[in-house]
Amino acid sequence: MVRFSKEITLISILLLTACTGSIKINNISSVDNESDWTQLGGSPAHDRNAISQVTPPLKMLWRKDVEHSPSGVLTAAYGTLFVSTMGGKVFALDHETGVTQGKLELKNSIGKGIAIDGIYGYFGRISSDKTMFGYDLRNGNYIWKRSIGPVESIPLISGGLLYVTTKSGYLYCLDLETGAEKWKFNAGKPFHSTPAKWNGLIIAANDSGYVYGISASNGNLKWKFQTGAPVFATPIISGDDIYVGNIGGAFYSIDAKSGKTNWKHEGSGSYYSTASANDDNVFSMSGDGMMLSLSKSEGSIIWKSDLNAPISEGILLSGRYIFIGSMDSYLYALSAETGNILWSEKLAGRVRTSPLEYKGRIYIGTENKYLYAFVEELYADE
Amino acid sequence: MKNKYIIISFALITILINFSVTFGQYHSFGRNKIQYTDFEWQVLSTKHFDIYYYPEMEELALIGAQTAEESYKILQNKYNHALNHKVPLIFYSSHLYFQQTNVIPNILPEGVGGFFEFFKGRVVIPSDGSISQFKRVIRHELNHVFMHSKLVRVQKNHKIMNKRFPPLWFSEGLAEFWSGQPNTQAEMVIRDAVLNNYLVPVDRLFSIAGTFLMYKEGENLLAFISERYGEEKILLILENYWVHPKFSEVVKYTLGVDYKELNRQWTYHLKKKYYPLLRDKDKPQMASKIIDNEGFNSKPAIYKDKDGIEKIIYVSNKIGYTGIYQKDLDGDVNDEAEFVLTGEKSNEYETFHLFRSSISVNNDRILAFVTKSGETDVIHRLNLDTGSKYPPLQFDNLVTISSPSWSPDGRKIAFTGLSRNGYNDIYIYDITGDKLSKLTNDTYDDRDPSWSPNGKHIVFSSDRTQTGAGGRYNLFKIRIKDLKIKYLTYGDHNDRAPKYSKDGKLIFYSDRGGMDNIWMLKSAQRSDKFKLTNISDDDIDLEMPENGLLDYKAVRLTNFTTSAIDPVWTNEGSIVFTAFEDFSFNIMKVDEFKNYDMALEKTSNTPKRTGLWSHKKLKKDISTFGKKYKSGYSLDIAQSQVTQDPIFGTSGGAVIALSDILGNNQYYVLVYNNARTSGEIIDHFNVAVTKVSLAGRTNLAYGLFNFNNRRFNLRKGFFDERRYGGFFSISYPLSFFKRIEATTSLAYSKEDRIGFNSREAVLAVNSVRFIKDNSLWGVTGPLDGERYSLSIAYTNDVRFNNLNYFTLVADYRKYYRLSKRTSYAVRFMYLHSDGSPDREIQLFYLGGSWTLRLYPRFRVWGTRAFIINNEYRFPFIDILGIRFPFGAVGFRGIRGALFFDTGNVYNGERFDNKWETLKGSYGIGVRVRIGGFLVLRYDIGRRTDFRNLPDTIYRQFFFGWDF
């Protein structure tokens, strides 16, 4: 009986979404749920790790065709997964079944994900027209649209404001409700990554090689630090320190308050992807496929693991395990203590998103247009 | 390339199948790719590659595998991309072997150093003895693999269905830029282009697509972008590739500047870099005497002829065929070069190695030089007084030979030989004793051997120096008596082509300081001696100088802005050499020179020696090694199409091509249906399956077919024909220029025509053809050489006796070169068909742009025919460009023609039983080539019957290459 009702609901939703091309989620709530991942890295500092430890081995729960390669960041709230694609679509999927709850279609490639705040979703795109959008997920209407220049990254949401970088070299602060510009900072060179927030500072890095510390309230520059080569990766902030690598192969720990370097590690390849950190160590991956665990205090190497291929997005820490999706089309689980590969699964194509942990499951997207859901093998048949 | 491959193959199949009713006069010509060598292919599987090699080059394969894996890691990082399949790499130990590959059907000229093929993603790479160069080419081609994969992925991710790729200057330039540091040659070309004002701007680079200049400009431009905007911008150009369909807009989006501004910045940067050179350096033509500046000239040698006149003899390509020319040393630059011999027209001198192999003349005026002849290179000896030839020297284990050098007594020849394992060593051949000796025997690349005046030593260039691991060459001297080798020069630069004068002065060319100039070795005073530091006792083959000091120092004799290479002494102490200037290679002479930079050698730093070095071989992550290759077929192409023709109706079908990795065995399947009603579907199911085997010297093709089509014949009109049967075809290349083809087919044929009874036949067709082609092509057709074919065929209906005839087609074409870009072309063609008068027979049709110009196509027909075409071909417009507000269109190399044609047909007993009135036409025409594969032709003129010259003007527009 339950299943029959579900099918009717499903058909109704499909019919509705097919007609309107919108996302309307009925059970949406404006109350934060701690298991939700509403933006990159799960928090403004991008430092959140998985709430539940997911223990490998895993088993695939479902696989969903999202029609084009997913963009870099998956988000999840209200039992719904949000996936943006390079084909210009945003999907809302039931996290348990993968069934489509809604779909938006735009002409151009969506930036690296949709950030959620309450009942609203925010995303950007690369276009010569409107490039930044606020969307009401409950009624399927746009609340505002703005032209701010091409947006490749997923926006940051914090304190009722939205912060977003553009490829034309600007960092914008916009009002969440109206999209009105509060301030903008001109860095002169393109941004590829998402800013982070620490106390009253917005931390952003771009092609100039600078990491900037900018006042979140008025956009004034507080400090800037030159890393020596362009920065494509998103900085993360763990404790009071910023961790970020540049494409010249240098990986830094920077004091968030002063902008001064704590230590620098010279890697063997370029850093394109976002790091991850726990209490003691920071984990990074370079373009030559080398994964490192570095001591947060000194930057010394705890372990290194040659993983054959790089990752395109971020690293998920889940208790004692690290999950990464690699460009050699594998989802890997490594030991956070030793870097040894404990489990792997071959997927349909190169992995294009960071792994996301949501309600005890791991979600990941590949460029062959699939979104995967994995669950611990122990619970696979429940 | 892929469409041409399939079209050619299916044209071949179609012609073979329908031989009995096809115009026999349009034979395919072309040169032959010959599989001389039986390779025992094996497979080496690594983490990311499947490498195909043969046992003799096993060590080279392991070196290549190591390089490939290292390159993979580096390129994965640069492109931020991983490949999701193993890459097939096919290695050859010599360029001559590489030319035999069936991976692509094209004839591979010397200038092709390797290629990446899109169908199966195969990379094919030869070695030429230089392992450093082999490694660089591996990196270069893997760049193409990554680039292609990345761009396909970027476009697929962003829903772009019709994949497009960047202009050639970008893809080749990037592959070169990311394969290593720019070499001296690359810098030289750009320097010359800037100083001589022929640098092609960015927005015009498409106009030199495929040329050497394009490669170097592309590489340099990408280096500039990296320096000015950051190397990450190159990756971003690839990642932004989906943003706009026009590549120039992608570049503008990424860099923030358009082509015009980018060009402005780039050319300014180059001018600032190179113009100041003129303050201290000279252009070669301003500081030396020109001997020959027409065409590409290289590798001069000096001798005195029987009258005592000193001559310069050299290898040159002036008009398309490479040959050997000579001039008086003291003659005028405007004197015509005397032609000694032409190569590339016959099997004897199949191809020269234009810039790679020097020539040598001994005191008896016997010239020694090398060409390819059949499977390997040979050394030729030619008496310059009498013109008589000595038997060529060919050595069993040597594939490639270069730079023969006569001993002072004229009884021995030293040369560089490349053996099947891929390594270059120095050899001496004793002519009197008919004995070959090997002087060096290792993996180092030993080149340019030259005898000392007393005949006891040979000086050569080699990468056995410590800096050789980075691809550097220094000079060494080997004592023939005991094979002890000594350093003569040392450093992180390239020293090449040493030559002694009769009184023992050694000159060579070197890129010390970044440009190739001529240097000389002088005995050093103790205080000037160059010290080799940190010498290891492991160098057992090398005789170390006393106290580690080199006995000589190098002094520079020329100081040019571009380059001076391959110097030789004259008897009077002048130096003759090859200079690169204004994009040509000229023979120059300098009589007086001063010594430059005498202190240069003393101050060079030397890294620590650690003994003889070796290239790393792959040792880990090998899943298969030494496994015998087995043919496994995979898809090359699968294409479907629907066509609609107002006459022939609608048909839909597909073509599938399969081949093995090496391309030696291919299958083609053609399936289509042209049913007009549902009831015809089964009957009108057409299929043809063909197997082509290219592995051996004899090429085979055989297959089965079933066709049921509506067809059109000029005599019969429209009719339906059902035909099924099989065929077998052989092609045997006698040489690079000649081949024999034979075909036999057996097919059932039933023709139905409205108003006529059905015609059934079981057709047995047997044909033999002989073809020769050594023609040299210009933009729209051949300009030099000749080609001809003779074919005889017999068609017989073995069951119903409805057809029975034989045909003979003789087609001779000759091209007389009148100047560099003009020629006179003549064609004689005779077509003859004969058979039982009461049965069907082959008919020939004349008229149209391809046969008798200014007459309508197929205007006259007969059972016999002849055509004589005469044409004077000349350049008409070199560049025609039209710029519209929305864009520009341009044409290059528009050619003109003055022609005079004549022809006639004869009809046998069944028709008029006579020759018709002789027909002729004369006029002028224009040909323009579009896109590299289509030539549009327009002719205007008059007809004649040779009795009258009517005034009527006729015009004709069509397509097709010149005959």
Side-chain angles (χ1 to χ4, degrees):
Chain A
M1 189 64 163
V2 171
R3 182 182 283 184
F4 186 65
S5 296
K6 246 192 200 170
E7 282 172 349
I8 291 175
T9 310
L10 168 64
I11 290 167
S12 308
I13 291 170
L14 283 173
L15 279 173
L16 279 170
T17 54
C19 293
T20 64
S22 64
I23 295 175
K24 290 181 195 174
I25 299 176
N26 294 329
N27 60 333
I28 206 163
S29 149
S30 59
V31 175
D32 284 342
N33 187 325
E34 85 164 2
S35 66
D36 291 347
W37 284 74
T38 56
Q39 56 188 319
L40 186 154
S43 73
H46 310 320
D47 66 338
R48 195 179 122 188
N49 298 322
I51 286 184
S52 346
Q53 174 169 288
V54 179
T55 305
L58 308 184
K59 192 170 172 174
M60 187 176 80
L61 194 60
W62 51 256
R63 184 175 84 165
K64 171 78 178 179
D65 181 346
V66 292
E67 299 172 26
H68 295 104
S69 176
S71 304
V73 179
L74 305 173
T75 46
Y78 343 107
T80 302
L81 276 176
F82 295 92
V83 185
S84 58
T85 75
M86 296 187 199
K89 292 180 182 161
V90 180
F91 284 82
L93 308 174
D94 179 279
H95 87 282
E96 284 186 336
T97 61
V99 166
T100 304
Q101 295 175 302
K103 181 168 79 174
L104 272 180
E105 290 195 42
L106 286 91
K107 245 175 67 175
N108 300 98
S109 180
I110 308 291
K112 283 191 182 167
I114 173 169
I116 311 293
D117 181 69
I119 61 172
Y120 302 108
Y122 301 90
F123 56 92
R125 69 172 181 173
I126 295 175
S127 171
S128 52
D129 194 13
K130 304 289 182 200
T131 56
M132 194 63 214
F133 303 85
Y135 190 84
D136 188 325
L137 293 166
R138 197 174 36 186
N139 62 26
N141 294 326
Y142 287 97
I143 54 173
W144 52 260
K145 298 180 186 179
R146 294 244 353 185
S147 296
I148 60 169
V151 174
E152 187 176 289
S153 55
I154 181 173
L156 161 71
I157 296 173
S158 176
L161 293 169
L162 180 146
Y163 303 89
V164 63
T165 56
T166 73
K167 287 181 78 166
S168 44
Y170 285 91
L171 166 65
Y172 280 88
C173 174
L174 306 178
D175 183 270
L176 272 179
E177 283 187 27
T178 63
E181 180 186 313
K182 294 285 191 188
W183 54 257
K184 70 181 180 195
F185 174 78
N186 183 4
K189 293 244 172 148
F191 286 94
H192 302 281
S193 59
T194 298
K197 191 175 179 207
W198 177 84
N199 289 346
L201 280 183
I202 299 294
I203 309 298
N206 71 351
D207 278 7
S208 66
Y210 279 109
V211 177
Y212 300 94
I214 298 160
S215 165
S217 55
N218 58 24
N220 289 340
L221 179 68
K222 294 294 185 188
W223 55 258
K224 64 180 182 181
F225 172 75
Q226 174 56 252
T227 69
V231 178
F232 283 15
T234 292
I236 68 161
I237 308 167
S238 181
D240 295 324
D241 297 314
I242 302 162
Y243 299 95
V244 70
N246 66 20
I247 66 161
F251 189 85
Y252 287 91
S253 166
I254 302 165
D255 179 73
K257 188 176 178 187
S258 64
K260 294 205 184 323
T261 184
N262 297 320
W263 51 257
K264 171 184 167 186
H265 170 79
E266 287 286 357
S268 51
S270 306
Y271 288 95
Y272 297 107
S273 58
T274 305
S276 196
N278 58 18
D279 292 335
D280 301 312
N281 302 323
V282 59
F283 305 92
S284 66
M285 184 115 180
S286 53
D288 60 349
M290 191 64 73
M291 176 132 196
L292 293 178
S293 170
L294 301 171
S295 152
K296 279 168 87 173
S297 54
E298 294 159 2
S300 53
I301 298 176
I302 307 300
W303 52 256
K304 58 183 179 182
S305 189
D306 190 349
L307 286 173
N308 192 46
I311 59 174
S312 60
E313 289 303 325
I315 300 165
L316 175 70
L317 262 176
S318 174
R320 294 182 306 151
Y321 305 104
I322 295 171
F323 289 95
I324 56 165
S326 174
M327 282 205 217
D328 65 355
S329 309
Y330 275 87
L331 170 63
Y332 289 100
L334 290 80
S335 161
E337 281 139 38
T338 63
N340 292 336
I341 297 174
L342 301 174
W343 170 86
S344 65
E345 176 88 359
K346 177 104 171 131
L347 307 176
R350 299 181 190 92
V351 176
R352 281 290 164 194
T353 72
S354 304
L356 170 76
E357 181 276 324
Y358 184 57
K359 296 188 188 294
R361 298 189 177 104
I362 300 288
Y363 300 91
I364 196 153
T366 65
E367 68 185 7
N368 283 27
K369 60 188 179 133
Y370 288 112
L371 190 73
Y372 289 80
F374 284 89
V375 71
E376 287 183 17
E377 210 169 67
L378 200 59
Y379 305 116
D381 296 323
E382 286 184 8
Chain B
M1 187 203 296
K2 63 181 183 188
N3 287 334
K4 185 177 166 190
Y5 188 3
I6 296 300
I7 288 166
I8 288 169
S9 303
F10 274 98
L12 176 66
I13 294 166
T14 307
I15 288 168
L16 289 170
I17 290 171
N18 295 291
F19 186 84
S20 61
V21 292
T22 301
F23 287 141
Q25 59 263 45
Y26 298 113
H27 299 304
S28 56
F29 286 98
R31 299 180 190 194
N32 309 310
K33 178 182 285 204
I34 305 177
Q35 277 67 43
Y36 293 104
T37 316
D38 186 17
F39 298 105
E40 291 174 13
W41 291 101
Q42 294 181 351
V43 185
L44 159 63
S45 290
T46 69
K47 207 187 225 177
H48 299 106
F49 301 95
D50 286 325
I51 296 171
Y52 300 86
Y53 67 100
Y54 38 93
E56 297 92 323
M57 62 173 296
E58 182 180 290
E59 191 177 20
L60 198 56
L62 287 168
I63 294 171
Q66 173 68 22
T67 302
E69 289 293 342
E70 283 171 1
S71 298
Y72 187 98
K73 206 97 172 132
I74 291 168
L75 295 176
Q76 177 180 259
N77 186 56
K78 280 194 182 298
Y79 285 90
N80 192 19
H81 185 74
L83 303 178
N84 55 11
H85 58 272
K86 276 198 179 181
V87 180
L89 294 181
I90 299 163
F91 288 156
Y92 289 91
S93 58
S94 147
H95 203 279
L96 298 195
Y97 286 159
F98 167 71
Q99 291 173 21
Q100 299 182 35
T101 186
N102 283 316
V103 171
I104 55 172
N106 313 59
I107 303 277
L108 292 165
E110 290 242 332
V112 174
F115 63 85
F116 164 56
E117 163 279 327
F118 291 168
F119 274 131
K120 296 191 203 302
R122 293 169 284 190
V123 175
V124 187
I125 299 174
S127 173
D128 70 345
S130 165
I131 298 180
S132 307
Q133 181 61 17
F134 179 55
K135 289 159 88 170
R136 190 183 172 110
V137 175
I138 291 173
R139 177 79 61 88
H140 177 108
E141 298 303 332
L142 289 181
N143 261 283
H144 285 304
V145 176
F146 270 85
M147 208 186 311
H148 183 261
S149 174
K150 176 94 182 181
L151 289 173
V152 165
R153 199 15 82 182
V154 163
Q155 292 177 88
K156 210 164 175 179
N157 287 346
H158 291 92
K159 302 191 297 186
I160 294 170
M161 303 308 292
N162 290 327
K163 303 292 179 289
R164 51 182 192 266
F165 293 97
L168 203 59
W169 69 260
F170 180 85
S171 54
E172 291 296 345
L174 179 57
E176 201 50 28
F177 176 51
W178 274 355
S179 60
Q181 292 296 317
N183 57 23
T184 312
Q185 195 188 56
E187 288 280 327
M188 170 191 82
V189 171
I190 299 299
R191 207 161 52 235
D192 185 60
V194 171
L195 293 177
N196 289 293
N197 296 313
Y198 65 83
L199 192 77
V200 177
V202 180
D203 62 333
R204 304 283 313 153
L205 280 170
F206 70 89
S207 65
I208 56 166
T211 63
F212 185 68
L213 181 61
M214 177 218 77
Y215 275 72
K216 296 301 147 189
E217 284 206 31
E219 180 187 359
N220 193 275
L221 178 56
L222 279 153
F224 171 73
I225 290 173
S226 176
E227 190 185 316
R228 170 93 178 213
Y229 293 95
E231 194 173 358
E232 78 281 359
K233 285 292 189 271
I234 297 174
L235 173 60
L236 287 174
I237 288 173
L238 299 173
E239 294 196 339
N240 292 335
Y241 197 70
W242 62 277
V243 166
H244 201 282
K246 278 183 80 175
F247 184 71
S248 56
E249 293 297 321
V250 173
V251 171
K252 184 179 172 183
Y253 176 84
T254 308
L255 302 183
V257 295
D258 61 12
Y259 268 2
K260 192 174 167 189
E261 176 60 20
L262 179 62
N263 189 65
R264 201 180 67 85
Q265 293 172 3
W266 177 48
T267 50
Y268 183 65
H269 160 79
L270 289 174
K271 284 175 183 172
K272 277 188 74 106
K273 183 176 176 185
Y274 294 128
Y275 279 5
L277 292 176
L278 290 169
R279 184 167 48 230
D280 301 317
K281 299 181 190 303
D282 292 310
K283 288 188 175 185
Q285 291 194 25
M286 302 307 290
S288 46
K289 181 186 169 192
I290 302 170
I291 304 293
D292 193 339
N293 62 356
E294 193 192 326
F296 291 97
N297 307 288
S298 72
K299 309 295 181 188
I302 301 289
Y303 77 101
K304 269 192 178 159
D305 70 7
K306 58 186 177 190
D307 299 321
I309 298 172
E310 208 163 1
K311 299 269 203 194
I312 302 174
I313 188 165
Y314 47 97
V315 185
S316 178
N317 188 315
K318 295 182 184 305
I319 56 168
Y321 291 115
T322 303
I324 295 181
Y325 294 76
Q326 64 181 357
K327 278 185 133 179
D328 287 354
L329 182 62
D330 292 322
D332 191 81
V333 62
N334 295 315
D335 291 343
E336 190 85 12
E338 183 192 330
F339 160 79
V340 176
L341 62 90
T342 290
E344 302 175 352
K345 280 186 167 181
S346 68
N347 197 47
E348 189 182 16
Y349 309 131
E350 195 178 303
T351 50
F352 278 81
H353 306 306
L354 179 55
F355 294 109
R356 289 194 45 221
S357 179
S358 58
I359 60 178
S360 180
V361 183
N362 66 11
N363 291 334
D364 296 325
R365 292 179 292 281
I366 299 173
L367 169 70
F369 63 98
V370 170
T371 71
K372 178 176 184 283
S373 184
E375 185 179 2
T376 67
D377 283 343
V378 303
I379 299 176
H380 300 279
R381 291 166 295 157
L382 174 74
N383 188 310
L384 290 171
D385 290 342
T386 63
S388 58
K389 300 176 195 174
Y390 296 85
L393 302 171
Q394 192 164 28
F395 307 99
D396 281 339
N397 195 39
L398 296 181
V399 185
T400 308
I401 297 172
S402 57
S403 302
S405 172
W406 283 105
S407 61
D409 63 5
R411 295 212 290 256
K412 300 190 184 74
I413 300 177
F415 59 89
T416 295
L418 180 89
S419 47
R420 279 177 68 100
N421 61 13
Y423 300 130
N424 266 336
D425 288 297
I426 305 292
Y427 293 81
I428 291 179
Y429 177 69
D430 183 332
I431 294 169
T432 318
D434 189 22
K435 186 176 165 217
L436 183 69
S437 308
K438 193 173 185 181
L439 300 194
T440 62
N441 187 18
D442 45 50
T443 61
Y444 300 114
D445 184 22
D446 303 321
R447 295 179 182 242
D448 310 332
S450 178
W451 293 80
S452 63
N454 62 11
K456 290 182 180 170
H457 296 89
I458 285 178
V459 176
F460 62 101
S461 175
S462 175
D463 64 358
R464 63 183 61 239
T465 176
Q466 185 185 1
T467 52
R472 301 299 194 200
Y473 289 73
N474 292 145
L475 297 184
F476 295 84
K477 185 192 233 186
I478 185 169
R479 190 160 59 202
I480 294 169
K481 178 174 73 174
D482 54 10
L483 303 185
K484 275 288 183 192
I485 301 174
K486 264 173 79 159
Y487 270 98
L488 283 182
T489 65
Y490 179 79
D492 189 18
H493 45 250
N494 293 298
D495 301 323
R496 296 285 307 269
K499 284 281 192 302
Y500 274 107
S501 65
K502 287 199 164 79
D503 57 354
K505 294 199 291 279
L506 185 72
I507 50 172
F508 58 99
Y509 76 89
S510 176
D511 66 358
R512 298 157 196 239
M515 291 167 220
D516 282 322
N517 273 294
I518 300 169
W519 293 68
M520 185 170 74
L521 277 193
K522 285 183 76 164
S523 291
Q525 300 296 324
R526 185 157 183 95
S527 57
D528 280 342
K529 284 196 177 183
F530 181 72
K531 187 171 174 58
L532 285 175
T533 57
N534 297 316
I535 298 156
S536 162
D537 290 334
D538 293 338
D539 296 329
I540 52 171
D541 281 353
L542 285 169
E543 188 181 292
M544 286 295 113
E546 190 187 338
N547 297 321
L549 294 170
L550 287 177
D551 297 326
Y552 305 98
K553 64 179 177 186
V555 293
R556 186 163 65 192
L557 302 183
T558 61
N559 195 19
F560 294 140
T561 52
T562 49
S563 74
I565 59 174
D566 298 330
V568 290
W569 290 103
T570 69
N571 289 324
E572 274 74 48
S574 303
I575 295 175
V576 170
F577 57 95
T578 300
F580 178 75
E581 188 173 358
D582 212 359
F583 208 74
S584 61
F585 287 88
N586 307 322
I587 303 293
M588 315 289 285
K589 183 168 87 118
V590 64
D591 295 316
E592 289 174 10
F593 35 80
K594 51 182 180 175
N595 298 341
Y596 297 94
D597 294 338
M598 295 188 48
L600 190 69
E601 276 304 286
K602 268 174 79 174
T603 58
S604 297
N605 292 321
T606 59
K608 182 177 164 53
R609 272 195 72 84
T610 52
L612 291 174
W613 61 270
S614 58
H615 290 283
K616 271 200 266 186
K617 291 177 229 170
L618 187 70
K619 287 188 174 134
K620 60 176 188 172
D621 293 325
I622 297 175
S623 53
T624 309
F625 186 35
K627 186 176 165 186
K628 196 172 168 195
Y629 167 75
K630 277 188 189 151
S631 288
Y633 294 92
S634 58
L635 198 65
D636 284 332
I637 188 169
Q639 201 161 16
S640 62
Q641 203 157 321
V642 175
T643 61
Q644 167 60 35
D645 182 278
I647 304 293
F648 292 99
T650 307
S651 68
V655 60
I656 297 168
L658 302 150
S659 67
D660 66 322
I661 275 289
L662 297 175
N664 288 337
N665 294 289
Q666 299 158 16
Y667 282 95
Y668 298 93
V669 180
L670 168 69
V671 173
Y672 69 94
N673 199 301
N674 53 4
R676 280 161 285 178
T677 64
S678 58
E680 287 181 345
I681 287 177
I682 301 294
D683 262 350
H684 282 255
F685 187 69
N686 294 261
V687 61
V689 178
T690 305
K691 163 92 191 282
V692 179
S693 176
L694 303 174
R697 184 164 178 159
T698 306
N699 297 326
L700 307 172
Y702 47 90
L704 301 169
F705 52 88
N706 173 49
F707 294 120
N708 193 346
N709 292 311
R710 192 128 209 262
R711 299 183 60 187
F712 179 80
N713 178 288
L714 288 160
R715 290 288 302 161
K716 296 179 186 177
F718 287 101
F719 62 96
D720 291 307
E721 187 191 19
R722 172 87 190 274
R723 180 190 283 243
Y724 58 84
F727 76 95
F728 179 80
S729 179
I730 286 182
S731 173
Y732 182 80
L734 298 164
S735 73
F736 186 49
F737 305 104
K738 298 176 185 169
R739 66 177 179 275
I740 293 180
E741 297 174 353
T743 302
T744 184
S745 73
L746 186 68
Y748 169 81
S749 162
K750 184 181 176 198
E751 287 180 10
D752 289 305
R753 265 195 295 168
I754 294 172
F756 292 84
N757 294 332
S758 296
R759 192 277 281 139
E760 280 185 281
V762 175
L763 297 168
V765 182
N766 297 287
S767 66
V768 174
R769 274 178 251 178
F770 175 77
I771 296 161
K772 180 199 169 176
D773 188 346
N774 70 3
S775 61
L776 190 75
W777 277 59
V779 178
T780 57
L783 278 181
D784 205 336
E786 66 178 3
R787 47 189 188 157
Y788 55 81
S789 73
L790 176 68
S791 68
I792 298 171
Y794 180 58
T795 302
N796 186 29
D797 177 0
V798 297
R799 170 96 164 83
F800 300 98
N801 269 334
N802 282 318
L803 295 93
N804 185 330
Y805 58 88
F806 83 91
T807 55
L808 175 125
V809 178
D811 183 346
Y812 179 80
R813 309 177 194 197
K814 176 87 178 160
Y815 311 97
Y816 297 91
R817 197 70 167 273
L818 302 176
S819 72
K820 195 169 173 184
R821 297 202 289 163
T822 63
S823 68
Y824 165 65
V826 62
R827 172 171 67 179
F828 301 96
M829 186 185 282
Y830 178 70
L831 309 100
H832 187 112
S833 173
D834 216 332
S836 305
D838 54 341
R839 294 183 196 149
E840 276 186 47
I841 194 171
Q842 171 87 51
L843 296 175
F844 301 108
Y845 296 85
L846 299 187
S849 183
W850 294 351
T851 55
L852 198 56
R853 282 170 275 206
L854 304 181
Y855 286 81
R857 285 193 82 205
F858 313 135
R859 165 68 176 267
V860 290
W861 55 269
T863 56
R864 294 168 208 176
F866 75 86
I867 308 168
I868 303 174
N869 303 105
N870 299 273
E871 188 169 274
Y872 170 61
R873 296 174 179 172
F874 55 92
F876 182 48
I877 298 174
D878 282 342
I879 301 176
L880 176 65
I882 306 170
R883 189 181 288 279
F884 298 98
F886 48 82
V889 64
F891 303 95
R892 295 176 74 90
I894 299 174
R895 305 273 303 168
L898 292 171
F899 64 89
F900 171 60
D901 296 341
T902 182
N904 205 354
V905 293
Y906 168 86
N907 286 301
E909 299 102 338
R910 72 196 69 202
F911 303 113
D912 301 336
N913 202 23
K914 66 180 174 77
W915 286 93
E916 295 197 2
T917 310
L918 191 62
K919 291 159 186 56
S921 63
Y922 57 97
I924 190 165
V926 170
R927 290 90 177 80
V928 57
R929 184 162 145 179
I930 310 284
F933 60 92
L934 178 68
V935 174
L936 299 178
R937 317 162 58 76
Y938 181 77
D939 294 305
I940 182 169
R942 292 175 177 159
R943 297 180 195 166
T944 178
D945 60 2
F946 296 91
R947 290 185 223 130
N948 303 297
L949 289 173
D951 287 338
T952 312
I953 299 287
Y954 295 90
R955 295 170 185 81
Q956 196 164 53
F957 177 73
F958 204 54
F959 66 91
W961 301 99
D962 292 335
F963 67 80

